[in-house]
Amino acid sequence: MGTTAEEQLIGPLLLARGTIDRSALLRADERRLEQAWSDPATRVLVIDNGHTLVRRQGDEVQAVLFTTEDAPPGPRYLLGTEGGAAYFAVAAPLPGIPRGEGNGRVTVPMSLRDTREGVPVPAGLRQVGGLLGDRDAGLLVYAVALEAWHETHEFCPRCGTRTTIQAGGHIRVCPHDSSQHFPRVDPAVIMLIRDPDDRCLLARGPQWPNGRLSILAGFVEPGESLEAAVAREVAEEVGITVVNPRYLGSQPWPFPRSLMLGFFAEATTTTLTPDADEIAEAHWFSREELTRALDSGELRLPPPVSIARRLIETWYGGELTGDW
């Protein structure tokens, strides 16, 4: 039996790429970690509030990687190894980049097209996650997720003592009660819902501007299966029932710690009653209606870096334009 469009996502999941070996055994050996850090072949990605330095080389965008001697001081996390070289992330201000006034954050250019070729500039994962090569995209996703976790887990949840970083940044240990704490990942389902006429359901949250639509999503609750989460979230957000949730793929979404699990599901009811706290508007679209709305500029879709865009394009049967 041949593969249908619904059985294979159209286009890659851009934040699910990566080429390095995560080298879990290396994390547990402090002596080898120090040797890896001292190796001239080791490279370091500097991460600051979810941003790193990148440079444009022709049509390519590359992450700027430092030697350990040139990297700024800061907490460091082992990202893995490839081709005999180790890769670390260091959480520190980006070298040579002034922080914005008032908020202490870096100022990111609106478009890399406006930057000089070869000149390092700060950029975030949403901006360049789809432009980087497989290795650099994987390194940046990993570094962003670890930095976000460490920033919010400095203290032991049991006793409040400041924890210490161990295992190459993959464990925090409480020196008071010896409890160990590991990086957290929050599973979230994201689902493209189709009705009996094969229309697609798109919606927007109250915090989004008019015209920015996407598919429904929500976090998995304790003691809940992924399939049950799909049905519950759809019922809660727009008041319809769905059946036959079918998994298509996943990708990390470290904003700050989600793992997005993509599904298709079939609606058995079609009258939409949006929850005003969650959904500002929701509509059914045929392929022809979606094309017209995109062509007119009335509607914008999530960018290609998102799994939402890939699910929409898989239903549509081809690539679409009209990014946020």
Side-chain angles (χ1 to χ4, degrees), residues 149-150 164-173 179-183:
W149 178 72
H150 281 285
T164 61
I165 298 174
Q166 295 186 19
H170 292 76
I171 301 176
R172 295 190 75 104
V173 178
S179 59
Q180 296 182 338
H181 309 279
F182 299 86

Side-chain angles (χ1 to χ4, degrees), residues 73-90:
R76 64 187 192 229
Y77 321 129
L78 175 69
L79 301 180
T81 59
E82 182 183 58
Y87 292 85
F88 286 80
V90 165

